Amino acid sequence: RMNCSKTPDFVLSGMSSDPENQQFLFCLFMALYLLGLLGNSLLLLAIGIDIHLHSPMYFFLSQLSLVDLCFTTTTAPKMLEDLWTHNGSISFSGCLTQLYFFAVFADMDNLLLAIMAIDRYAAVCYPLHYPLVMRPCRCGVLVGTSWGVAHLVSLVHILLLSQLSFHVNQEIPHFFCDFGPLLWLSCSDAQLNEDLTMALAGVLGISALFCVISSYARIFHAVARVPSAQGKRKALATCSSHFSMVILFYSTVFATYLKPPSTSHSSGKLVAAVMYTLVTPTLNPFIYSLRNKDVKSSLKRILGMENSQDY
């Protein structure tokens, strides 16, 4: 019988143990992480200093960039440290801390994409009432409530996890602390944790996804009624970047978590987790900047300030 403890140490062993592969993965993930930091920071800077981007859509986008920047920082530095030192050890408190912030930013990503879908629905379907519907105070309440819900849900999970006992000196077959692998190593009865995880993930995930699907269903219905092809293209152009982010986010989430337990430690799931935690947050700012004329022009002014004094 293995020894159990309420404060065990773990070893993150999700990445390859081959030194050559570790070197390659370190360089690859370091490049992605730095690229994500640069892209999200530039987008935050552009939205913050350019008065032309002080609108509800860009306020929500700035929050998404902030969340994505924090989201990658929750898992990437520890993963890079493990690849560099070939030592994946992590303390119980460090594991719970990482898991807490991972859950907060993952939930915020989910909720913000739903809020942005509602924003696009209001802009396309009710353009004349849009400034009234999406008032700054209402936008602030939506985002503030989302932050509160994300922290509350994560806190409940962590408090329940802290009451469990775990097998000591065990390997977590992942590159960060996640709910599933931790519950798998529990010595205690974790049925309450599993049920609560499923319930809260279901409520938050399904409700947010329902908002996204219903918003886009109404958007597509409204666009279909626009008589001119140019009008349809203009209406869809306002949603294309957000729609791309929604597809990328939910496809990686589903690939990571909607798999049978027998494949929970597979390499395919680890690849999906890397896509979800590192690649998607890195791509989001570039999806918006490359497909949005306002953001592109703002970034050009920031990167060439000497030519924009008379703007």
Side-chain angles (χ1 to χ4, degrees):
R1 179 181 175 82
M2 294 184 179
N3 293 329
C4 293
S5 171
K6 282 188 173 293
T7 57
D9 290 333
F10 299 114
V11 176
L12 297 171
S13 61
M15 289 301 169
S16 171
S17 58
D18 185 340
E20 291 186 3
N21 287 340
Q22 286 183 331
Q23 290 179 2
F24 170 75
L25 291 175
F26 177 84
C27 295
L28 175 63
F29 294 151
M30 175 64 83
L32 284 173
Y33 178 54
L34 294 178
L35 189 62
L37 290 182
L38 176 64
N40 284 297
S41 298
L42 281 175
L43 197 53
L44 278 169
L45 181 63
I47 295 172
I49 68 175
D50 193 338
I51 194 172
H52 300 91
L53 302 182
H54 291 179
S55 66
M57 181 179 76
Y58 295 111
F59 169 67
F60 296 137
L61 180 59
S62 69
Q63 290 294 304
L64 186 68
S65 289
L66 175 62
V67 168
D68 284 342
L69 193 153
C70 296
F71 191 31
T72 55
T73 302
T74 301
T75 57
K78 177 58 179 171
M79 175 175 61
L80 292 171
E81 178 194 346
D82 295 344
L83 288 170
W84 182 258
T85 63
H86 313 294
N87 178 18
S89 62
I90 185 170
S91 66
F92 184 67
S93 59
C95 191
L96 289 190
T97 301
Q98 185 186 59
L99 182 55
Y100 176 84
F101 287 106
F102 170 80
V104 167
F105 298 128
D107 286 340
M108 276 303 298
D109 253 333
N110 185 41
L111 293 171
L112 281 172
L113 287 176
I115 292 172
M116 293 172 75
I118 295 172
D119 172 73
R120 293 299 82 209
Y121 161 67
V124 173
C125 299
Y126 302 100
L128 298 180
H129 297 90
Y130 178 73
L132 182 63
V133 173
M134 303 304 293
R135 297 193 302 270
C137 61
R138 186 169 293 175
C139 295
V141 168
L142 286 171
V143 171
T145 302
S146 297
W147 277 109
V149 169
H151 278 285
L152 180 61
V153 169
S154 184
L155 182 61
V156 170
H157 284 309
I158 297 305
L159 289 177
L160 287 177
L161 276 173
S162 66
Q163 304 304 309
L164 300 179
S165 296
F166 297 87
H167 296 298
V168 299
N169 300 321
Q170 290 295 296
E171 291 188 354
I172 298 177
H174 216 322
F175 60 89
F176 67 94
C177 290
D178 203 357
F179 291 107
L182 269 183
L183 293 177
W184 184 262
L185 297 178
S186 174
C187 302
S188 310
D189 182 6
Q191 190 61 47
L192 175 61
N193 299 72
E194 293 175 359
D195 293 343
L196 190 62
T197 298
M198 291 297 294
L200 292 177
V203 170
L204 285 180
I206 293 175
S207 59
L209 186 58
F210 175 78
C211 285
V212 171
I213 293 174
S214 59
S215 295
Y216 273 102
R218 296 182 181 185
I219 288 172
F220 293 147
H221 182 261
V223 169
R225 296 165 60 184
V226 175
S228 67
Q230 183 178 1
K232 291 180 179 179
R233 284 195 298 270
K234 184 177 180 180
L236 290 175
T238 65
C239 308
S240 60
S241 296
H242 175 258
F243 190 71
S244 299
M245 290 194 297
V246 166
I247 296 297
L248 190 59
F249 176 79
Y250 283 108
S251 61
T252 54
V253 168
F254 292 158
T256 303
Y257 293 106
L258 294 187
K259 284 192 173 185
S262 59
T263 63
S264 60
H265 302 158
S266 67
S267 59
K269 187 165 183 177
L270 288 175
V271 170
V274 170
M275 292 288 295
Y276 168 49
T277 60
L278 186 58
V279 177
T280 298
T282 298
L283 291 179
N284 281 345
F286 296 99
I287 290 174
Y288 245 97
S289 61
L290 292 176
R291 306 185 68 172
N292 187 294
K293 293 180 179 179
D294 294 333
V295 173
K296 281 196 293 186
S297 60
S298 178
L299 289 173
K300 288 178 181 177
R301 289 194 294 273
I302 290 173
L303 298 176
M305 296 293 281
E306 70 279 1
N307 299 322
S308 60
Q309 298 298 321
D310 60 342
Y311 178 80

